[in-house]
Amino acid sequence: MSLQRRTTLALAAGLVFVRPGRAATGDLAAAVNAFAGGKAPQPGKVKLDISTLVENGNAVPVTLSVDSPMTGTDHVKSIALFNERNPQRDVVVFQFGPDAARATASTRIRLATSQQLVAVALLSDGTAWSH
């Protein structure tokens, strides 16, 4: 019985050391880079609409939109939202096709503290845009 107790205590102590800590800000750039396929997103075309001051961080409304004609040859393929302080940087990814009337999406996210958010859109011509 004491062997199980020692094993359990050793595993519990090991979990304290394995537990991930708060990720560094540089991870945000790496997540954006991975989504954009190594391309540096250009500023513009994407609009990230979020209130600068919110009362409750549990359900913060966010709207993402991209200025695009949404035709068969020129449309938004996807929009992603990234945040700075979450261990998992990607918050949400929306997929679009040429049949979508507009490249607009809304959701609610949880934000515990003030932090940087980045919206990145990938277009059908291979370009990446951000806000």
Side-chain angles (χ1 to χ4, degrees):
M1 179 123 158
S2 65
L3 181 62
Q4 289 178 347
R5 181 174 179 222
R6 287 181 185 160
T7 305
T8 303
L9 289 174
L11 287 173
L15 290 177
V16 172
F17 296 112
V18 176
R19 183 175 172 232
R22 179 167 266 168
T25 305
D27 292 340
L28 177 63
V32 169
N33 189 31
F35 175 75
K39 300 175 191 125
Q42 304 170 43
K45 290 194 180 187
V46 179
K47 181 180 179 191
L48 170 60
D49 188 23
I50 185 171
S51 178
T52 55
L53 183 63
V54 293
E55 291 181 24
N56 183 359
N58 289 329
V60 180
V62 176
T63 302
L64 305 166
S65 59
V66 182
D67 181 24
S68 172
M70 297 304 286
T71 63
T73 57
D74 187 9
H75 62 273
V76 176
K77 292 171 62 177
S78 58
I79 305 172
L81 181 63
F82 301 91
N83 67 351
E84 176 183 30
R85 297 195 179 185
N86 191 348
Q88 293 181 325
R89 301 291 183 217
D90 51 338
V91 177
V92 66
V93 177
F94 297 100
Q95 302 289 330
F96 296 92
D99 294 331
R102 294 179 297 166
T104 302
S106 296
T107 190
R108 293 181 182 271
I109 62 173
R110 184 175 183 190
L111 296 173
T113 62
S114 297
Q115 57 189 293
Q116 180 182 6
L117 297 174
V118 177
V120 179
L122 299 179
L123 277 60
S124 59
D125 62 1
T127 59
W129 298 84
S130 69
H131 181 236

